[in-house]
Amino acid sequence: MTSQAPVETSGATPEFPETMRRFMERLGFGAKPDRAFPLTGGVSSDIWFVEAKGRRLCIKRALPALRVAADWRAPVERNHFEYAWFQRVAKILPDAVPPLVGHDEAAQMFAMAFLEPEENPLWKRHLLDGKIDPAFAGLVGEKLAAIHAATAGDPQTAAGFATDASFHAIRLEPYLEATGRVHTDLMPQIEKLVATTAATRLALVHGDISPKNILIGPKGPIFLDAECAWYGDPAFDLAFCLNHLLLKCIPVPAGVDRLAQSFERMVMAYRGRIVWEDPPRFERRCAALLPGLLLARVDGKSPAEYITQDKDRDIIRSVARPLIAEPVATLLEVRNRWLQRFR
């Protein structure tokens, strides 16, 4: 939904929000920052860059209505769970999350360190520029599996992230259910995907594992934007990220082979670290979910902004629809069906 984008908005800079000013003061940075401007890229939150007392920070405040064409609303309490996800993951993989500065529960905002883009480029930008490193995709799979393994079966984490209603509102409804209302003939299969995902509670899920929310840090992937945090089905995280590797084949046709390799490296790195359930069962669930998410990026409430041509939307539909109707058992089979359209 958002990313720690390093770009100032164009035109006149809006006034620094008073609630953020008071928050900065409570954190000990004074009432007037040296510099402050909104960051681009977010549809679900107000995100500001702030420089004060020699520190460069990012402040994020949740919005009740997302900045998209469709009517898409979500509880602002997701800001609390995003901050809690960062706190929890910092205990597992401290280098995989931004350093935290403070949280304002009442105002539903938090502050974290601003990560310099020169040292922490956005993975999405690299992929779209054709700089595709399968080894990095493997690292993402490895780190993601480590988070899931460390939180699997943990009753305290499960109680702290019982966000079923919020996850439905910001993930299952706008992605899958909205797509089912377009493809009514597939509604039974899509309803089954929703029901299976909602009922599977195994580990701490990020919910938006996308290249736009992953920085290429000096020590590996850094995950941003955990607004969708939920104790649920880890297959959602892996399927969500693999979906983006498939989709990037359309705007980056010269990178199809490396994207295919990246897909396989991520699957293999992740699959080898599944310790909380039978790996084939996990993979079947993930392989069934992936085409639903693929179709959602053209016919759900959050279409991929770089899929702009009807012919490309038709490619996605032609691959995803049969796989939703008759799911396959492995993720590589999903990938291979997709690659047939690019060979």
Side-chain angles (χ1 to χ4, degrees):
M1 288 185 180
T2 61
S3 61
Q4 196 165 337
V7 182
E8 298 187 40
T9 54
S10 59
T13 302
E15 185 176 353
F16 188 49
E18 182 60 29
T19 53
M20 290 189 181
R21 191 183 305 278
R22 293 197 297 268
F23 180 40
M24 290 292 294
E25 192 168 16
R26 288 194 297 275
L27 290 174
F29 290 96
K32 188 174 181 180
D34 300 323
R35 196 158 60 111
F37 55 81
L39 298 174
T40 62
V43 300
S44 64
S45 299
D46 281 330
I47 311 173
W48 282 70
F49 168 89
V50 179
E51 190 167 17
K53 293 192 173 181
R55 294 282 301 276
R56 291 159 68 87
L57 309 176
C58 179
I59 300 180
K60 184 173 182 180
R61 177 176 61 182
L63 296 172
L66 279 65
R67 302 187 187 102
V68 294
D71 181 21
W72 185 354
R73 299 178 182 273
V76 294
E77 291 78 13
R78 65 189 187 275
N79 185 272
H80 161 87
F81 294 104
E82 177 175 15
Y83 192 76
W85 188 92
F86 285 138
Q87 289 180 307
R88 182 69 180 89
V89 172
K91 297 177 180 178
I92 304 166
L93 300 170
D95 294 323
V97 293
L100 300 174
V101 178
H103 182 233
D104 186 324
E105 186 76 29
Q108 289 300 322
M109 70 175 73
F110 66 84
M112 57 186 173
F114 179 79
L115 300 176
E116 303 298 336
E118 295 80 9
E119 301 170 5
N120 306 273
L122 196 63
W123 190 26
K124 177 181 179 179
R125 188 70 265 155
H126 270 220
L127 292 175
L128 290 175
D129 288 344
K131 295 185 285 188
I132 302 163
D133 179 8
F136 183 78
L139 282 176
V140 172
E142 176 185 324
K143 302 302 182 185
L144 188 58
I147 294 167
H148 294 158
T151 58
D154 179 7
Q156 185 174 356
T157 304
F161 291 89
T163 57
D164 300 65
S166 178
F167 192 81
H168 180 271
I170 56 184
R171 276 296 171 266
L172 299 181
E173 193 285 326
Y175 280 80
L176 297 175
E177 291 181 1
T179 301
R181 291 192 290 272
V182 175
H183 297 269
T184 54
D185 60 316
L186 293 174
M187 181 65 87
Q189 293 91 337
I190 292 175
E191 286 179 341
K192 183 179 179 181
L193 288 177
V194 171
T196 298
T197 303
T200 305
R201 299 181 179 88
L202 295 173
L204 180 58
V205 173
H206 178 284
D208 200 1
I209 296 291
S210 162
K212 72 180 175 63
N213 294 325
I214 300 174
L215 303 179
I216 303 173
K219 297 182 179 180
I222 300 173
F223 299 104
L224 306 176
D225 190 10
E227 290 185 9
C228 307
W230 169 59
Y231 196 87
D233 189 357
F236 188 91
D237 274 348
L238 183 60
F240 201 87
C241 196
L242 292 172
N243 187 35
H244 284 274
L245 295 179
L246 297 182
L247 289 169
K248 296 297 184 295
C249 292
I250 291 177
V252 193
V256 167
D257 288 342
R258 281 170 294 149
L259 286 164
Q261 293 165 18
S262 296
F263 185 108
E264 184 169 358
R265 289 287 291 270
M266 184 180 292
V267 169
M268 294 299 103
Y270 186 98
R271 198 181 190 282
R273 291 168 173 80
I274 297 173
V275 295
W276 56 88
E277 64 176 306
D278 178 54
R281 182 171 64 241
F282 171 94
E283 189 165 1
R284 283 193 300 271
R285 204 166 62 248
C286 195
L289 182 59
L290 177 51
L293 295 174
L294 188 62
L295 190 60
R297 296 320 298 265
V298 290
D299 291 321
K301 289 186 178 180
S302 181
E305 82 283 359
Y306 49 82
I307 308 297
T308 60
Q309 303 294 318
D310 285 341
K311 64 178 180 63
D312 294 330
R313 297 185 184 98
D314 287 342
I315 288 174
I316 293 170
R317 293 175 184 129
S318 71
V319 177
R321 282 179 49 84
L323 286 168
I324 294 171
E326 296 184 19
V328 296
T330 70
L331 290 163
L332 291 185
E333 176 61 21
V334 176
R335 183 202 65 172
N336 292 343
R337 295 276 193 95
W338 174 257
L339 290 177
Q340 288 173 9
R341 294 305 304 262
F342 296 88
R343 299 302 192 203

